[in-house]
Amino acid sequence: MKPEIEHILKDHKLRNTDCRYDVLDVFLTQKFALSHGDLEESLGNKFDRVTVYRTLKTFLEKGIIHKVLNDEGTPKYAVCSSHCEVHEHHHNHVHFKCDTCGHTQCLDEVAIPSIQLPNGFKAKEFNLLIQGLCKSCQIA
Ligand SMILES: [Zn+2]
Ligand SMILES: [Zn+2]
Ligand SMILES: [Zn+2]
């Protein structure tokens, strides 16, 4: 048992189940955003689809993970680094997808610039996905 994972679950008043623990473990080990399929691949056949799906939903609602825009249609998820609350996420950062390795990561230090919307429009959520070449692929 990793104390870090137990802490996160406890902080969010979630019971420590095998699936929650393992899903969080995958998220913390991989430094990039993961889709449901990526998770299933890492977890193997240990849990059924519905259990994994429900775990993701719970984590989203509790502010443990956030949705990441993905150009492939299926959503990806990444761990929230700032203090997100139940049903309320507080981040406005850019996501970067590398064309070479295909990984999407949070660029927490890069804020999405404020965008002026026409009268009558109210923004609820900002998503900005930048595609290109990531740091590790440039070195290799
Ligand atoms: Zn969040
Ligand atoms: Zn890359
Ligand atoms: Zn992010």
Side-chain angles (χ1 to χ4, degrees), residues 17-57:
T17 65
D18 279 357
C19 189
R20 284 173 184 167
Y21 183 92
D22 284 6
V23 168
L24 212 45
D25 195 19
V26 176
F27 270 114
L28 295 173
T29 312
Q30 316 272 21
K31 297 284 176 229
F32 39 83
L34 301 164
S35 67
H36 190 272
D38 295 334
L39 272 172
E40 277 189 331
E41 216 170 280
S42 304
L43 296 168
N45 294 321
K46 210 167 159 195
F47 310 103
D48 62 79
R49 278 187 86 89
V50 182
T51 313
V52 176
Y53 181 79
R54 252 195 245 126
T55 302
L56 284 175
K57 206 172 157 239

Side-chain angles (χ1 to χ4, degrees), residues 60 63-67 78-85 88-91 93:
L60 264 178
I64 297 175
I65 57 171
H66 60 281
K67 236 184 203 165
V79 174
C80 297
S81 54
S82 41
H83 292 280
C84 292
E85 288 155 34
E88 214 181 328
H89 287 271
H90 297 280
H91 33 98
H93 57 266

Side-chain angles (χ1 to χ4, degrees), residues 91-111:
H91 33 98
N92 217 9
H93 57 266
V94 165
H95 289 120
F96 188 93
K97 184 174 183 184
C98 176
D99 293 331
T100 304
C101 61
H103 293 153
T104 306
Q105 60 191 102
C106 297
L107 296 182
D108 290 303
E109 66 279 19
V110 185

